[in-house]
Amino acid sequence: MPRLRHLLTLLPLTLAATLAQAEDWPAPIKQIEAKGAKIIGKFEAPSGLTGYAAQYQNRGMALYLTADGKSVIAGNLYDAQGNDLSTEPLEKLVYAPMAKQVWAKMENSSWIQDGDKNAPRIVYLFSDPNCPYCNMFWEQARPWVKAGKVQLRHIMVGIIREDSAAKSAALFAAKDPQKALEEHEAAGKGSKLQALAKIPADIEAKLDANMKLMDELELSATPAIFYLDDKGGLQQQQGARRRISW
């Protein structure tokens, strides 16, 4: 599944990146910065070049300053064996820190737990109570959830129908939100979940914050699914799939 390359400009820079911006960059690097790129930091490069990690138009970008300091080359650098020498520094300086920030934001969002709290893998998904594909994914995930291998965290939103937000509010307001969500998903099209006539202010604030996060991540549909792979990299899946492997 694709790494979250498109999230780069959506969240604040790390402290290291902020400090890096304060450095007095060489003139060619400053020119790239003036065109809208954010310079994150330097890294070692071969052949007398000096590497710079930047983010531009929602993507990481490698810059290579020539030995005389007068020119800069933008793009990936390959060695004689065809290895991309830009991947590792961009992953370390740009993508990994941003992935941690995205994960922290989801941890701090309002979600409903589904599964064992001690499950070794946590999966976040933006979910709408009226979303049939959310229900499909819920069904697909049952073997992993019931086996205690996966904990789903449903970040509830309301985007599909007029009563979606009020139904999400009803789940948050339930005496046992986890049980209410399970009953709703297990029933599928036969769900008897009733939308709240009036959403309490505290729950409305939770839903608004979840929607804001969804907008920040440039997500337009549910389910939007996020998890950390075995190397700690943040992975995203849009929609349910016929086969799932974690």
Side-chain angles (χ1 to χ4, degrees), residues 106-127:
M106 289 189 292
E107 284 184 324
N108 292 325
S109 67
S110 296
W111 41 267
I112 297 175
Q113 180 181 321
D114 175 12
D116 188 343
K117 66 178 182 180
N118 296 316
R121 188 180 297 280
I122 293 173
V123 177
Y124 287 96
L125 67 149
F126 287 83
S127 183

Side-chain angles (χ1 to χ4, degrees), residues 86-156:
S86 306
T87 299
E88 185 175 346
L90 287 181
E91 180 66 31
K92 179 180 179 180
L93 295 172
V94 180
Y95 297 129
M98 295 308 296
K100 289 181 180 179
Q101 291 182 29
V102 172
W103 191 257
K105 278 185 170 281
M106 289 189 292
E107 284 184 324
N108 292 325
S109 67
S110 296
W111 41 267
I112 297 175
Q113 180 181 321
D114 175 12
D116 188 343
K117 66 178 182 180
N118 296 316
R121 188 180 297 280
I122 293 173
V123 177
Y124 287 96
L125 67 149
F126 287 83
S127 183
D128 184 304
N130 289 318
C131 172
Y133 297 105
C134 298
N135 181 251
M136 183 184 298
F137 180 76
W138 182 87
E139 289 282 359
Q140 291 174 332
R142 286 310 90 193
W144 289 275
V145 173
K146 290 181 179 180
K149 296 180 179 180
V150 172
Q151 176 199 150
L152 300 184
R153 292 181 175 180
H154 298 254
I155 303 175
M156 303 306 304

Side-chain angles (χ1 to χ4, degrees), residues 199-242:
I199 301 177
D202 61 329
I203 295 179
E204 186 170 15
K206 292 180 179 180
L207 292 173
D208 287 346
N210 285 355
M211 281 301 305
K212 182 180 179 181
L213 178 57
M214 191 173 182
D215 290 341
E216 286 180 350
L217 300 181
E218 294 185 349
L219 303 172
S220 59
T222 55
I225 302 158
F226 298 81
Y227 67 94
L228 297 177
D229 62 25
D230 293 337
K231 295 182 179 180
L234 187 59
Q235 301 289 333
Q236 177 186 359
Q237 172 183 314
Q238 185 67 56
R241 294 192 175 187
R242 293 186 181 277

Side-chain angles (χ1 to χ4, degrees), residues 45-65:
S47 305
L49 300 172
T50 301
Y52 292 82
Q55 61 182 68
Y56 182 66
Q57 293 185 344
N58 301 335
R59 295 184 64 85
M61 179 173 66
L63 304 173
Y64 295 95
L65 186 71

